[in-house]
Amino acid sequence: MAASQKARENARNYFSLKENLVYGYNVVILDNFYETIKSVDGIIITAEDEKLKKEDWQKASNLVKEKLIFDGRNILEKEYIESIGFKYFGIGV
């Protein structure tokens, strides 16, 4: 099992979540990146997931409500992300 799958499973177990539902903690776990970020106020990256580097961030910029990224692992290319309109804060190592 991939680390990201294990993390989702652990979170669902911890918060007693079922697929794609919110249960009292205002936590939502979705497996589709674009569905996850639709109309959000910001994106917080907390894990070094190589898939995030390969996402279509131009497409993502058209889905979010606010173009704001806190990159806790500094995995994205700041110059590119800012060039497509995001406010980028690299706050990790």
Side-chain angles (χ1 to χ4, degrees):
M1 177 180 294
S4 61
Q5 290 172 319
K6 184 66 175 163
R8 285 192 295 276
E9 179 183 311
N10 289 342
R12 284 189 180 106
N13 291 337
Y14 181 80
F15 291 109
S16 299
L17 297 172
K18 294 192 170 140
E19 192 74 24
N20 300 341
L21 298 176
V22 177
Y23 280 87
Y25 294 97
N26 201 21
V27 173
V28 179
I29 298 173
L30 298 170
D31 293 325
N32 179 288
F33 175 72
Y34 302 107
E35 284 297 316
T36 302
I37 64 167
K38 192 181 292 183
S39 299
V40 299
D41 292 321
I43 297 170
I44 301 172
I45 298 172
T46 60
E48 284 187 53
D49 190 337
E50 289 297 315
K51 291 187 292 184
L52 288 174
K53 292 181 184 180
K54 298 174 184 165
E55 296 295 351
D56 182 346
W57 287 96
Q58 181 66 54
K59 177 180 178 179
S61 74
N62 295 318
L63 296 173
V64 297
K65 187 175 4 173
E66 298 292 330
K67 294 182 180 183
L68 179 63
I69 295 177
F70 292 94
D71 186 351
R73 303 303 295 173
N74 289 318
I75 63 170
L76 300 178
E77 294 180 29
K78 178 181 179 178
E79 294 78 20
Y80 170 68
I81 294 299
E82 290 180 337
S83 76
I84 58 174
F86 279 99
K87 291 180 186 172
Y88 177 89
F89 299 91
I91 54 174
V93 292

